[in-house]
Amino acid sequence: LLRGALAPFQEAAASRRGVDSRLSEITADDLRRGLDRGEVYAAFQPKIDLSTGKVTGCEALARWDSATFGPVGPDVFIPLAEQGGLIKTMTLRMLRDSMTFAAAFLPTEPKFVVAVNLSATLLSDTSLPEEVERLLAEIGVPARSLMIEVTETTAMADVGRAMDVLLRLRLKGIGISMDDFGTGYSSLSALARMPFSELKIDRSFVKDCLTDADMWKIVSSSVAIAHQYNMKVVAEGIEDAATWHALDALGCDIGQGFEFSRALRQDAFVEWYHGWMARPPATRAAVVPLQ
Ligand code: C2E
Ligand code: MG
Ligand code: MG
Ligand code: MG
């Protein structure tokens, strides 16, 4: 009887293993074909002003719906794109989709900012800032509507090299966000010299910050550091209202996470946005919880 009851779970586990082993067989050539077929696209996850509940913008997250392998996560295909020399093509496509999306949103939300992730490889591409500027001009979007996210590890691996590209982007008016803050080892003096306009606290610290005192200390110190350096601070991975309200009370500016929405395709995002804005402000705006 027990064996019978367990069978469906064992099958599910076996099929998961099957999918996992297929994922490890995916090559850069598969990704190249996927890119050619238009299987890779940008999904957008909203960023929320924690005190007003308003939408400040979104983060573009790459998605690959492969005809052969099914949905493949960015943790799998971004490294492939980097190894296979496809990362620039992919990133320029993400930038184009993101800025086209921003252009459509700006009439309703003039301060809307779309964030695009930039991988390490592209931080040494000195032609990138001019290419991005040309793209913005072509689509007709102001530089302030674009934010570039670089992970702490990426930006700090070679500060001098990263500085050149990041500073040139920043001088054009593009925002620079330090992503996954706290997971790498950055020196605070380097952080002070880099042209960051925003700091994103990694999900691993936000996740349990209400139940784990050490996590709460990391989150609250990060908020203080960001504000000392005049950066906006974003908490990623907010999954419940209690965390939202506590972070708002702490002074964290912006939040992102499943409490608000997952990353959505363009049309679904617009639909989510209208539904979100139609909610009574009291259920959108965070309220400091009574102690
Ligand atoms: P990231 O930039 O830190 O993006 C946040 C990740 O956390 C996303 O995973 C997002 O779906 C997930 N997330 C957001 N809120 C929640 C939440 O409340 N709970 C949980 N459990 N997860 C949440 P995703 O889309 O799988 O992306 C993973 C990483 O892949 C990203 O981390 C980013 O570093 C990289 N990535 C994604 N798109 C691109 C891209 O176009 N270019 C580059 N270079 N990297 C990308
Ligand atoms: Mg990011
Ligand atoms: Mg992040
Ligand atoms: Mg992260």
Side-chain angles (χ1 to χ4, degrees):
L1 189 83
L2 187 61
R3 206 182 303 148
L6 283 176
F9 298 105
Q10 283 162 346
E11 266 165 41
S15 89
R16 263 201 307 280
R17 273 198 301 279
V19 169
D20 286 350
S21 64
R22 282 184 79 192
L23 285 182
S24 65
E25 286 162 16
I26 301 176
T27 64
D29 278 332
D30 293 316
L31 178 60
R32 183 174 296 113
R33 275 189 291 275
L35 279 162
D36 289 343
R37 291 195 203 117
E39 293 174 350
V40 179
Y41 60 94
F44 301 99
Q45 186 179 36
K47 288 167 95 165
I48 303 292
D49 179 320
L50 292 182
S51 62
T52 62
K54 290 198 176 132
V55 182
T56 64
C58 60
E59 177 177 8
L61 292 160
R63 294 289 177 263
W64 178 16
D65 289 347
S66 162
T68 322
F69 305 100
V72 184
D75 294 333
V76 173
F77 70 82
I78 299 292
L80 279 182
E82 282 171 348
Q83 291 151 23
L86 300 165
I87 192 71
K88 185 154 189 189
T89 311
M90 204 208 79
T91 305
L92 288 174
R93 195 176 295 182
M94 291 293 291
L95 282 161
R96 179 173 290 278
D97 288 355
S98 299
M99 291 304 96
T100 309
F101 187 52
F105 241 97
L106 286 173
T108 1
E109 288 280 1
K111 291 185 176 161
F112 199 74
V113 178
V114 184
V116 176
N117 293 282
L118 198 69
S119 54
T121 343
L122 293 177
L123 277 180
S124 52
D125 187 329
T126 49
S127 61
L128 193 80
E130 275 63 46
E131 286 174 72
V132 172
E133 189 174 46
R134 252 180 275 131
L135 184 73
L136 291 171
E138 184 199 321
I139 300 174
V141 168
R144 64 175 153 77
S145 303
L146 174 63
M147 174 85 79
I148 293 291
E149 294 192 6
V150 279
T151 65
E152 184 185 15
T153 330
T154 303
M156 297 303 173
D158 185 343
V159 174
R161 192 179 54 106
M163 184 74 104
D164 178 52
V165 167
L166 292 181
L167 197 57
R168 280 162 57 207
L169 288 166
R170 187 76 195 96
L171 288 172
K172 294 180 193 304
I174 296 163
I176 310 290
S177 175
M178 175 184 268
D179 203 354
D180 296 346
F181 180 71
T183 59
Y185 20 62
S186 50
S187 84
L188 291 177
S189 63
L191 177 70
R193 277 185 286 122
M194 300 290 274
F196 291 111
S197 30
E198 181 187 274
L199 184 150
K200 289 183 91 169
I201 307 172
D202 192 61
R203 184 175 85 230
S204 57
F205 306 116
V206 174
K207 201 162 46 94
D208 302 316
C209 70
L210 292 190
T211 48
D212 184 330
D214 287 332
M215 294 299 152
W216 181 257
K217 286 177 202 165
I218 293 173
V219 171
S220 53
S221 316
S222 303
V223 169
I225 289 172
H227 286 162
Q228 290 273 333
Y229 289 120
N230 295 317
M231 294 185 261
K232 291 271 185 201
V233 57
V234 183
E236 57 176 37
I238 299 181
E239 294 191 353
D240 53 72
T243 306
W244 169 8
H245 298 158
L247 291 175
D248 177 40
L250 182 66
C252 182
D253 306 294
I254 296 168
Q256 206 180 323
F258 296 169
E259 166 65 10
F260 312 109
S261 174
R262 290 172 187 257
L264 302 167
R265 276 181 188 266
Q266 208 161 309
D267 294 353
F269 186 99
V270 173
E271 201 172 305
W272 170 87
Y273 171 82
H274 290 301
W276 181 259
M277 294 310 283
R279 276 167 68 164
T283 66
R284 253 196 286 128
V287 178
V288 180
L290 296 170
Q291 294 298 323

